[in-house]
Amino acid sequence: MSWKFWQKSNQEDSNKPKKKKSRGREWVDAIIFAVVAATIIRVFFIEAYTIPTASMERSLLVGDFLFVSKMNYGARIPMTPVAFPFAHHTMPVTGTKAYWEGVQWKYRRLPGLSDIKRNDVVVFNYPQGDTVALEQQDVDYYQMVRAEGWKEINTRYTIVSRPVDKRENYIKRCIGIAGDTVSMKNGLVSVNGKPEKLKPTGEISYEVVFKTADVNPTVFEDLGFNISEDIRSSMTPKVYIFNGTAPMMAEVKKLDFVQSVKEFTAADNIREGDVFPYDKNRNWNVDNFGPIIIPKKGWTVKLDSVTMPLYERSIRIYEGNKVEKAATGWLINDKPADSYTFKMDYYWMMGDNRHRSADSRYWGFVPEDHIVGKALFIWMSYDTNASFFKKIRWGRLLRGIH
């Protein structure tokens, strides 16, 4: 074939009108582009999140819709990359897995704008969400096992394991960062020996004594209380347990029929079995615990009967080591060990609604590979219990999170 003939043939082909895409093909291309673009934004930049429980009230309310930044702490590269778009761990209709565990990538994170700071409001994967009873997904599997035994739970329910990035998303306030020492006394948290008062928007329980039994409950509604959820009677007449913020309780104290208001916390030296680290030798509860040193990357801890209840899960589950108790001490990856050096940073997370929050007091440390992002601002707030015209909380829209 001569060069002129080829050139002429090619020119004729280029002059032919291109075949126009069908409307169906255009729609398919548009949908694919939108899904890919939205997935990239969701994974690496920003993601919407909703508040499902009251654990952060009244800093964050049930029905608040947030934007969570992936860039602040550095976007986490997907650890389970083969997954259905926009589904977290379960398909919405079929209830089956929304991901495939055949491909698993190591934990990596892009450079971020800042490190996690104390008092940041952080979204993270639930650390103890590695094992789940499908029929009771709202209940902690390990708590169920402690209450009823491993055999009973594993026989009665369908048990599945989930990779780190497919565990439930939680949102709490970071009380302590890696290397900090945290403790709590009579409901007051201390970090590195310095007391940290609860934020004005945080809630705790109070014991309120009335002078009379004849009280109009609508008074408390006007002060911002949900009567059915925030106020309950005690076994003693005229004594009630309130859940509220310090400013709200200051207003309650001013009421002429109120005799006294005081914080209602658990007694010191009384053990609660579901409080981390579930050690019978520690009389810890939700209002009194510690001190606890939060593991830091490169920190070496001595392994003994005092430290292992605190750090064994981090060493075994979060950092992927084989841990066994031997007659003379501990074996890590089948080798005798009297100390361990951590490979990751860890954090201590707590809810602002201190007596209605499942947080680090119950399940311990949050590893850095579980961190999802930083809560930035509320873009919508919706009160399902309000009347139709009051459902949107207009005053909370576009409010920053502090």
Side-chain angles (χ1 to χ4, degrees), residues 172-401:
K172 306 290 178 187
R173 190 178 298 277
C174 179
I175 299 300
I177 61 176
D180 282 348
T181 299
V182 296
S183 61
M184 197 170 192
K185 185 76 171 178
N186 297 326
L188 179 62
V189 174
S190 292
V191 180
N192 300 326
K194 180 183 177 182
E196 297 282 345
K197 289 186 177 180
L198 186 64
K199 303 299 173 187
T201 52
E203 294 188 335
I204 199 169
S205 298
Y206 294 81
E207 182 185 82
V208 179
V209 181
F210 295 158
K211 297 176 183 177
T212 175
D214 188 17
V215 175
N216 185 354
T218 58
V219 174
F220 304 114
E221 287 184 341
D222 296 337
L223 296 179
F225 290 94
N226 183 321
I227 296 176
S228 62
E229 296 181 3
D230 297 331
I231 302 173
R232 69 180 191 274
S233 60
S234 69
M235 300 298 292
T236 305
K238 302 179 186 178
V239 178
Y240 291 81
I241 306 301
F242 280 56
N243 202 66
T245 66
M248 292 168 65
M249 298 311 300
E251 294 300 315
V252 171
K253 196 172 184 178
K254 293 177 184 178
L255 299 173
D256 56 6
F257 58 82
V258 173
Q259 179 176 314
S260 64
V261 175
K262 67 176 182 179
E263 289 187 2
F264 185 73
T265 58
D268 193 8
N269 210 33
I270 299 296
R271 178 178 176 270
E272 290 184 28
D274 278 329
V275 169
F276 178 81
Y278 331 114
D279 183 5
K280 294 181 180 179
N281 297 316
R282 287 179 166 93
N283 290 331
W284 290 2
N285 55 55
V286 293
D287 294 314
N288 301 274
F289 65 80
I292 302 173
I293 300 175
I294 304 172
K296 181 181 179 67
K297 184 178 181 180
W299 177 58
T300 300
V301 63
K302 181 182 178 182
L303 304 183
D304 55 31
S305 60
V306 176
T307 60
M308 283 304 283
L310 292 169
Y311 304 115
E312 192 232 341
R313 180 174 174 83
S314 298
I315 297 170
R316 181 169 54 88
I317 301 297
Y318 305 145
E319 304 214 346
N321 296 288
K322 180 182 178 182
V323 179
E324 294 177 288
K325 182 71 173 71
T328 56
W330 293 90
L331 298 177
I332 295 182
N333 299 324
D334 298 321
K335 296 179 180 179
D338 58 6
S339 66
Y340 180 80
T341 301
F342 287 94
K343 303 172 187 175
M344 290 192 293
D345 286 336
Y346 291 78
Y347 304 91
W348 190 266
M349 306 287 186
M350 290 177 63
D352 286 354
N353 193 346
R354 290 290 160 82
H355 288 155
R356 294 183 183 177
S357 173
D359 51 38
S360 286
R361 292 171 294 178
Y362 292 95
W363 31 257
F365 312 111
V366 177
E368 66 174 68
D369 66 349
H370 284 56
I371 300 298
V372 174
K374 180 179 181 179
L376 292 182
F377 64 91
I378 301 166
W379 63 273
M380 172 60 74
S381 186
Y382 192 80
D383 186 356
T384 56
N385 296 319
S387 61
F388 179 78
F389 296 103
K390 295 182 179 180
K391 284 188 178 297
I392 297 178
R393 305 183 183 108
W394 296 100
R396 296 185 65 79
L397 269 57
L398 303 181
R399 176 184 292 188
I401 298 170

Side-chain angles (χ1 to χ4, degrees), residues 94-162:
T94 63
T96 56
K97 285 184 179 181
Y99 56 91
W100 181 55
E101 295 175 89
V103 178
Q104 288 286 295
W105 290 349
K106 291 182 179 180
Y107 164 64
R108 294 181 180 87
R109 190 178 293 274
L110 297 178
L113 303 177
S114 68
D115 295 327
I116 297 177
K117 297 180 178 63
R118 298 182 194 93
N119 291 316
D120 280 359
V121 178
V122 181
V123 174
F124 55 91
N125 297 116
Y126 179 44
Q128 289 196 165
D130 59 315
T131 308
V132 179
L134 289 182
E135 295 83 359
Q136 293 286 340
Q137 294 192 47
D138 293 334
V139 183
D140 186 291
Y141 166 80
Y142 295 98
Q143 184 178 359
M144 295 166 63
V145 169
R146 287 194 298 272
E148 301 184 50
W150 184 90
K151 184 177 181 180
E152 177 69 21
I153 298 303
N154 282 263
T155 301
R156 191 192 313 172
Y157 301 110
T158 305
I159 307 301
V160 299
S161 61
R162 286 176 178 161

